[in-house]
Amino acid sequence: MTVTATPPRLAGSPGEGEPRPRGRGALRWILPLAPALVLLVIFLAGPILWSVYIAFTNETLTGSASVNSRFVGVDNFVKMLGDEDFRNSFLLTFVFVIGSAVIGQNTLGLLIALLQRGRGRVTRSVVNGVVIAAWVVPEVVAAACWFSFLSEEGTLNEVLGAIGLSQDWLFTAPMIAIILANVWRGTAFSMLVYSAALSDVPGDLLEAASVDGATTWRRFVHITLPLIRRSILSNLMLITLQTLASFGLIYALTGGGPGTASQTTPLYMYEQAFRYFEIGYGSAMALVMLVIGAAFSLVYLRLIKVDA
């Protein structure tokens, strides 16, 4: 009979049938992630927490408050409620987000994706190339293109001058100008999202509905839209957050003018913090925008969860 010797168990090591220490398993996951976690804390969580603190102080970039800032509680937020310019910027931000993201980019992106279904590869490549080209250019370049198109001596007025409709569009309709510019630049993202979503819609299901007599509109409403509902909500969440924080395009195209006619909250926040040096007041606005963005995200995520 052969006897198998059992190797001696090392001190501190778990025996057969004994549970392994939980701490050691956790360390195996935490240690490889530690450098990334440290960087996130330093460069992401740190600045956010510091901005939250600054929002409750009278911190300025110059003067005595820049050296001896003090905690002022909710004074910055009370001041915000009574600030007519802030209320105007908040309303313009709401108009900009609804017009540019919810209606403009979302609808146009879905329409382009639908029109490309069943088209040839060459047609899809040309359309995708043109739309994506507008998306990849820097905001300043996009603003320069639209300034050349909409300014008093721009391309649009050269065309409309023949029928006497030329005007300075950046002066008479600045909000429409920045909405159109942002839709032109940002539609590519929605188009790509919906193109991917539509590719997952079963073609045989649409064909069966067509054989049963369903019109194109009824197939779209009763089959396509329900199947891409989650993609619609995800796209709306992402483009809403992106548009809510839009700054460079508006600043380069109109500068928030004329006057405050296109001064959205990010531009007003920048003006208060870095032109008038009220960094505490500007941080309070940033905190409000952060809360609004988080609220939008929670609503969209809740709708996605309910749909799932």
Side-chain angles (χ1 to χ4, degrees):
M1 182 176 63
T2 304
V3 178
T4 304
T6 303
R9 181 168 61 91
L10 298 177
S13 62
E16 185 177 355
E18 297 181 13
R20 292 182 176 274
R22 294 183 179 180
R24 184 176 301 177
L27 287 175
R28 292 173 61 185
W29 288 97
I30 294 176
L31 288 178
L33 296 175
L37 292 176
V38 171
L39 291 176
L40 284 175
V41 170
I42 294 176
F43 296 106
L44 183 62
I48 291 176
L49 294 175
W50 179 251
S51 297
V52 172
Y53 167 74
I54 291 296
F56 294 93
T57 69
N58 65 340
E59 180 84 18
T60 62
L61 293 179
T62 61
S64 59
S66 63
V67 180
N68 300 313
S69 62
R70 59 184 178 85
F71 186 79
V72 295
V74 296
D75 287 359
N76 287 327
F77 300 94
V78 174
K79 176 183 177 181
M80 207 180 303
L81 293 176
D83 190 345
E84 184 178 353
D85 289 334
F86 172 76
R87 295 198 300 269
N88 175 70
S89 72
F90 190 81
L91 176 61
L92 293 178
T93 302
F94 178 78
V95 172
F96 180 63
V97 170
I98 296 298
S100 175
V102 178
I103 297 177
Q105 296 178 43
N106 183 61
T107 304
L108 185 58
L110 178 58
L111 180 61
I112 295 175
L114 286 170
L115 291 176
Q116 288 194 89
R117 294 198 71 186
R119 302 291 185 242
R121 178 178 297 180
V122 175
T123 302
R124 293 199 308 270
S125 299
V126 171
V127 173
N128 288 339
V130 172
V131 177
I132 294 176
W135 186 34
V136 299
V137 298
E139 288 184 325
V140 175
V141 176
C145 292
W146 278 88
F147 183 85
S148 301
F149 182 68
L150 295 175
S151 64
E152 189 173 7
E153 299 178 354
T155 306
L156 182 60
N157 279 337
E158 290 293 328
V159 176
L160 297 179
I163 55 178
L165 295 178
S166 62
Q167 56 181 301
D168 190 348
W169 299 98
L170 296 175
F171 183 82
T172 58
M175 283 303 298
I176 295 178
I178 62 175
I179 287 174
L180 289 176
N182 199 56
V183 170
W184 174 79
R185 184 175 184 271
T187 296
F189 181 80
S190 297
M191 180 196 70
L192 294 174
V193 170
Y194 290 134
S195 295
L198 290 173
S199 65
D200 292 332
V201 176
D204 54 351
L205 187 60
L206 296 173
E207 185 177 353
S210 178
V211 172
D212 289 340
T215 62
T216 302
W217 175 251
R218 291 179 67 86
R219 293 198 302 270
F220 173 71
V221 172
H222 296 288
I223 298 177
T224 303
L225 278 183
L227 290 176
I228 66 172
R229 174 181 169 85
R230 298 189 67 185
S231 295
I232 293 175
L233 293 173
S234 300
N235 178 66
L236 281 173
M237 179 181 68
L238 294 173
I239 63 175
T240 296
L241 295 177
Q242 182 182 12
T243 306
L244 192 65
S246 182
F247 174 83
L249 180 67
I250 305 174
Y251 187 80
L253 185 58
T254 65
T260 59
S262 62
Q263 188 180 58
T264 57
T265 301
L267 270 74
Y268 185 61
M269 177 177 59
Y270 169 82
E271 179 185 74
Q272 294 299 310
F274 299 107
R275 183 174 296 176
Y276 300 136
F277 308 123
E278 296 287 340
I279 193 69
Y281 189 39
S283 297
M285 295 184 202
L287 182 58
V288 170
M289 297 298 291
L290 179 64
V291 172
I292 293 174
F296 271 114
S297 300
L298 290 176
V299 170
Y300 285 132
L301 290 174
R302 178 63 179 172
L303 292 175
I304 293 174
K305 185 177 180 181
V306 170
D307 183 63

